[in-house]
C-alpha cells in the first residue's frame, strides 16, 4: 500500500513585501509530489513576476559588465532602476547581492539610485 502525504494550507511571509500569503495544499501537492521540489516559496504571487524580471535584469547586467568593451550591449536603465527598487526592500541575501550587481551596471550619469548606498 502506498502512503499518500496529506498537505494542509500553510501561511508564509513574503521576503519582499512582508505580507502573509497562503501556500495551499494543492500548490504543495503540485510542487512537492508532481514536480519533486522540496522548498517553500519565499515570495507571494504579486512579487514573483517582478522578482523574475529583476533576476533577468541581474543576469543581463552581469553579461553587460563582462562584455563592457562591446558597444552593442546596452541595458535599459529604467528597467535596471525598477529591479533595484523592487529588490531593495527584500530581506533575502541573494536579493541583496543581485542589487549590488544591478547597481554596478548602472551608468555613472544615472547615479540617483546609487546615491542611497
Amino acid at each position: 500500500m502506498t502512503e499518500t502525504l496529506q498537505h494542509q494550507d500553510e501561511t508564509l511571509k513574503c521576503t519582499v513585501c512582508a505580507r502573509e500569503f497562503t501556500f495551499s495544499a494543492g500548490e504543495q501537492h503540485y510542487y512537492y509530489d508532481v514536480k519533486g521540489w522540496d522548498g517553500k516559496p519565499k515570495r507571494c504571487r504579486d512579487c514573483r513576476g517582478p522578482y523574475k524580471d529583476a533576476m533577468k535584469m541581474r543576469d543581463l547586467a552581469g553579461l553587460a559588465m563582462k562584455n563592457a568593451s562591446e558597444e552593442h550591449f546596452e541595458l535599459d536603465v529604467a528597467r535596471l532602476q525598477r529591479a533595484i527598487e523592487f529588490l531593495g526592500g527584500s530581506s533575502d541575501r541573494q536579493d541583496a547581492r543581485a542589487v549590488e550587481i544591478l547597481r554596478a551596471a548602472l551608468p555613472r550619469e544615472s547615479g540617483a539610485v546609487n546615491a542611497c548606498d
Side-chain angles (χ1 to χ4, degrees), residues 60-73:
L60 286 174
L63 283 174
M65 290 186 316
K66 284 181 185 175
N67 302 315
S69 60
E70 297 180 27
E71 292 180 22
H72 72 276
F73 209 108

Side-chain angles (χ1 to χ4, degrees), residues 25-45:
E27 289 172 316
Q28 291 173 43
H29 167 70
Y30 176 73
Y31 289 112
Y32 295 151
D33 303 335
V34 176
K35 299 276 262 182
W37 296 356
D38 60 2
K40 295 180 183 179
K42 295 192 281 183
R43 293 163 199 86
C44 66
R45 285 181 190 249

